[in-house]
Amino acid sequence: MRNFLFRIVFFVVPIIVIGGLGDWYISKTLRKSNSYAEGEYSTWNAILEGNINSDIVVYGSSRAWVHVSPAILKDSLKMSVYNFGIDGHNFWLQYLRHDLYLQHNKKPKVIIQTLDFSTLMKQKTLYNPDQFLPYMLWNKKIKDATLSYEGYKFFDYEIPLVRYYGKLNAFKEVKRLIRKPDANLPERIRGYKGMDRQWNNDFQNAKLKLKKINIELDSKSVALFEKYLQECQSKHIKMIFVYTPEYIEGQNLIVNKKDIISLYRQFSIKYNIPFYDYSNDALSMNQDNFYNALHLNKVGSEKFSRKLAATLKVENPTLFPPKK
């Protein structure tokens, strides 16, 4: 019996050690990529390595990511800014970033929470799942936030290398990073990426196929959102709501948009949070500011960022006092 156990240990332990070291090396290399998984690694790295510590942080979906320029806000408000916008995800995973940020960084003075019609939805599948690959092993917070989606399974979070099975593109990226590290140029600036694009035909094509949409809010996401507001209030973190510009014709496809805005206003009143709604702003009326119905292009985002900064200074002089 002792010989049998010895043989098991003799064979199993090296496999565990080799698997663990292989996982560590692949993950360590992959997280250096500035382009793979839609460029999300640079933001995750900054959060988990405690390299942010900004006065102002911007939360939201891709509409935060491509709409709000930290450089413009910093220049105007004279405070450090980082953009946490996460592409393709609703509040459920926006909150994950917030939670991990507070765990590894000092709390911000101000959170600019961008909102849109999909903020409190919850999709079934895990969008862009490869962004979690280098971080998810034995990370309970990432596991708890992502396991409810269709994507990864229990053992992906617990056993080294299992989650990399079938991830051919991830291995290709690791190979590229090893062979051509100098080609790995930054794509985001403090989490932000201005999209230098012109209007495309996606919206016109969608209009021909889609009927009007009624957005179904997820009750657990709504409850989590209110919990988050309460947490920030208890930590004395100032919150600001911003509904960023949205092309006016696209808004007309959302049947219950007024109800969604009304819910945000209720939270705004209940927790004394300023709410700036740009959905009917002049920026939203001009197609030249957008590259599709939901997203501003680089020119539009810079216009909006300057307008937002000016509004914040005028409306909140005690929070953003003029600097001499």
Side-chain angles (χ1 to χ4, degrees):
M1 184 65 178
R2 291 179 62 184
N3 288 338
F4 176 71
L5 293 174
F6 175 78
R7 289 176 181 176
I8 291 177
V9 172
F10 182 79
F11 284 105
V12 171
V13 170
I15 291 173
I16 293 173
V17 172
I18 293 170
L21 289 174
D23 191 296
W24 171 82
Y25 181 76
I26 292 168
S27 298
K28 181 175 181 289
T29 305
L30 186 61
R31 70 176 63 186
K32 295 177 183 178
S33 176
N34 288 317
S35 58
Y36 190 71
E38 301 183 30
E40 295 286 0
Y41 292 151
S42 60
T43 302
W44 285 117
N45 292 340
I47 292 171
L48 295 169
E49 293 168 7
N51 293 334
I52 300 176
N53 297 315
S54 289
D55 298 318
I56 303 171
V57 293
V58 181
Y59 293 166
S61 65
S62 59
R63 284 159 49 78
W65 165 44
V66 303
H67 284 194
V68 184
S69 167
I72 291 175
L73 263 59
K74 179 184 178 182
D75 183 64
S76 180
L77 303 176
K78 310 304 179 187
M79 298 171 75
S80 57
V81 185
Y82 203 100
N83 188 325
F84 284 137
I86 179 169
D87 186 32
H89 279 288
N90 316 113
F91 183 72
W92 201 260
L93 289 184
Q94 294 171 30
Y95 182 78
L96 172 63
R97 282 194 163 172
H98 165 75
D99 194 21
L100 291 171
Y101 174 78
L102 292 185
Q103 179 182 344
H104 296 282
N105 300 264
K106 72 177 183 181
K107 70 179 184 181
K109 295 177 182 177
V110 182
I111 293 174
I112 297 176
Q113 177 65 59
T114 68
L115 302 166
D116 55 62
F117 64 83
S118 66
T119 300
L120 298 177
M121 294 172 59
K122 189 170 186 288
Q123 58 213 39
K124 293 182 179 180
T125 57
L126 187 65
Y127 179 78
N128 189 18
D130 285 11
Q131 68 180 294
F132 304 104
L133 282 172
Y135 316 102
M136 58 189 281
L137 184 66
W138 304 325
N139 188 308
K140 187 176 186 302
K141 288 188 176 180
I142 292 178
K143 176 183 175 182
D144 290 345
T146 58
L147 193 55
S148 62
Y149 292 87
E150 295 173 4
Y152 294 114
K153 305 299 182 183
F154 174 82
F155 291 113
D156 293 321
Y157 301 89
E158 305 298 336
I159 301 178
L161 294 180
V162 169
R163 68 196 183 282
Y164 283 110
Y165 178 77
K167 297 289 186 178
L168 181 60
N169 288 334
F171 285 109
K172 287 181 179 179
E173 181 66 7
V174 169
K175 182 180 179 181
R176 185 186 74 84
L177 291 167
I178 294 170
R179 295 180 61 186
K180 299 180 179 180
D182 294 338
N184 184 39
L185 301 176
E187 293 191 358
R188 300 193 183 193
I189 301 173
R190 296 189 67 79
Y192 163 77
K193 183 177 180 179
M195 295 295 186
D196 193 11
R197 302 179 186 176
Q198 301 300 315
W199 181 265
N200 60 43
N201 292 322
D202 289 352
F203 177 66
Q204 280 81 0
N205 294 335
K207 280 201 303 183
L208 297 176
K209 299 178 182 179
L210 293 176
K211 297 180 180 179
K212 292 197 172 184
I213 306 169
N214 189 75
I215 299 299
E216 183 177 348
L217 300 182
D218 175 60
S219 60
K220 290 184 178 179
S221 294
V222 174
L224 181 64
F225 188 72
E226 183 156 22
K227 174 190 172 186
Y228 152 74
L229 298 180
Q230 293 168 350
E231 289 175 348
C232 290
Q233 192 173 70
S234 69
K235 294 179 185 296
H236 305 288
I237 302 172
K238 181 68 174 178
M239 180 76 64
I240 294 172
F241 285 170
V242 178
Y243 197 107
T244 65
E246 188 174 83
Y247 185 52
I248 189 64
E249 286 191 41
Q251 296 178 46
N252 295 333
L253 293 178
I254 308 301
V255 174
N256 57 333
K257 179 176 179 288
K258 289 184 179 179
D259 295 333
I260 295 170
I261 295 289
S262 176
L263 178 61
Y264 295 148
R265 293 202 182 281
Q266 289 173 38
F267 282 132
S268 169
I269 294 168
K270 183 175 181 179
Y271 294 100
N272 193 28
I273 298 170
F275 180 24
Y276 304 107
D277 180 6
Y278 290 87
S279 59
N280 290 310
D281 186 82
L283 288 168
S284 294
M285 309 300 164
N286 188 345
Q287 192 180 98
D288 292 340
N289 294 319
F290 297 83
Y291 67 89
N292 62 32
L294 297 179
H295 298 96
L296 294 166
N297 57 31
K298 189 172 187 290
V299 171
S301 73
E302 290 178 353
K303 289 180 186 177
F304 169 63
S305 296
R306 286 190 290 270
K307 179 173 280 195
L308 175 62
T311 299
L312 294 178
K313 283 201 298 185
V314 171
E315 297 290 336
N316 304 273
T318 57
L319 191 60
F320 306 108
K323 300 292 178 71
K324 297 181 180 180

